[in-house]
Amino acid sequence: MSFSILFKGNWCEEYGILPITRPNIPAPSRDMELLKIPGKSGILVKDNKRYEPIEIPIEFNFFSKPDKWWEVFRNAKRWLSGGGELEFSDDPDYFYKAYCVEIVDSERGMKRIGKFKANFTCDPYTYLKAGKQEYDRTEVQYNPYSEAHPAYKINGEGVCYLTVNGKAMRANVGQNITIDTERMIAYRTDGAMQNTAVSGDYEDLYLLEGANQIVITSGFGLKVIPNWRDR
């Protein structure tokens, strides 16, 4: 199979375009501040404990009938608008979260042939597809990847405490509640917001690299969507 791009659930071939080459994927840069202190030699390094977004440039070309050239290009631009999940055919277990896409350097070399570059601005991490599945808490207590921001799906009735690595969040559960630490919101499966039903810090529920401990009040069911990710 030739190299291909999947974006927002659609392959580039569906729009009549193909990547010219495999893109170069940059390593994310750590967000560090170098501070100069008056009267002191050297600098003070402040680590903001996060990574900068990355930009993935991908060059595409396409071949069409002369009277269909603009139609193909417009459809491609429509597909490549906004954000979504970006995948590469030679890395099928991972995906990137693209914030936005910018189309640049478009050209029509001949009546039938077009070429353009799309710059994908992405989250600095690569995400595992397996990390979008639901697991029992015992299956995700060891994190072999980078710090993860999971979603916790709780079933039951009444007040419960979800404790991760000794830090607890209180939740008043009415049948079910999902605590999404990535988006920092809580909601029911029917979409109703439940932010006022929880108290505590979402950051306390992150899964750290290595061993973690996850505990929930007896009588409540718990599933975890770990959102595994790596740099």
Side-chain angles (χ1 to χ4, degrees):
M1 179 180 176
S2 59
F3 178 69
S4 186
I5 303 293
L6 183 73
F7 182 58
K8 295 192 293 190
N10 297 102
W11 292 102
C12 58
E13 290 89 347
E14 298 175 46
Y15 294 87
I17 64 176
L18 291 170
I20 297 174
T21 59
R22 288 171 171 78
N24 295 320
I25 309 297
S29 299
R30 187 85 169 183
D31 183 5
M32 310 282 282
E33 293 184 58
L34 304 181
L35 307 174
K36 294 182 179 180
I37 308 300
K40 177 179 174 59
S41 299
I43 58 174
L44 178 66
V45 179
K46 180 183 178 183
D47 185 354
N48 291 313
K49 298 181 180 180
R50 61 190 179 195
Y51 289 87
E52 301 285 358
I54 60 173
E55 185 173 282
I56 302 176
I58 303 176
E59 287 191 283
F60 293 95
N61 62 11
F62 60 91
F63 180 86
S64 69
K65 295 180 180 179
D67 61 340
K68 295 294 184 180
W69 194 98
W70 284 109
E71 180 180 341
V72 172
F73 188 41
R74 278 194 291 267
N75 288 337
K77 289 191 295 182
R78 190 177 300 113
W79 171 55
L80 294 171
S81 63
E85 294 183 0
L86 172 67
E87 302 178 25
F88 303 121
S89 60
D90 60 353
D91 194 18
D93 296 328
Y94 290 82
F95 65 94
Y96 293 85
K97 293 183 179 181
Y99 300 132
C100 60
V101 187
E102 181 185 13
I103 305 296
V104 296
D105 299 336
S106 61
E107 61 179 72
R108 185 174 185 173
M110 300 178 65
K111 290 183 177 180
R112 295 174 176 269
I113 299 174
K115 183 172 70 172
F116 65 90
K117 183 166 70 172
N119 289 331
F120 293 78
T121 300
C122 299
D123 184 283
Y125 291 89
T126 54
Y127 289 80
L128 280 80
K129 290 182 181 179
K132 297 195 289 185
Q133 301 173 12
E134 294 183 11
Y135 296 88
D136 292 330
R137 62 183 178 88
T138 55
E139 297 178 284
V140 299
Q141 291 190 126
Y142 185 80
N143 176 13
Y145 309 105
S146 299
E147 178 187 86
H149 299 172
Y152 298 91
K153 303 182 73 172
I154 302 171
N155 291 290
E157 197 73 39
V159 174
C160 79
Y161 289 87
L162 173 63
T163 305
V164 178
N165 299 322
K167 298 178 180 179
M169 176 172 275
R170 181 184 184 274
N172 190 357
V173 184
Q175 296 184 335
N176 68 79
I177 192 171
T178 297
I179 300 173
D180 188 333
T181 67
E182 174 66 23
R183 299 163 62 195
M184 293 192 174
I185 58 174
Y187 52 88
R188 288 171 49 89
T189 54
D190 61 8
M193 299 303 297
Q194 296 289 292
N195 292 333
T196 58
V198 299
S199 59
D201 294 326
Y202 290 97
E203 296 95 329
D204 289 342
L205 304 183
Y206 292 166
L207 294 176
L208 307 178
E209 295 183 41
N212 294 266
Q213 185 181 48
I214 305 172
V215 180
I216 192 166
T217 301
S218 178
F220 289 84
L222 175 65
K223 293 290 185 179
V224 184
I225 301 173
N227 293 323
W228 300 133
R229 62 184 191 173
D230 218 344
R231 295 189 297 276

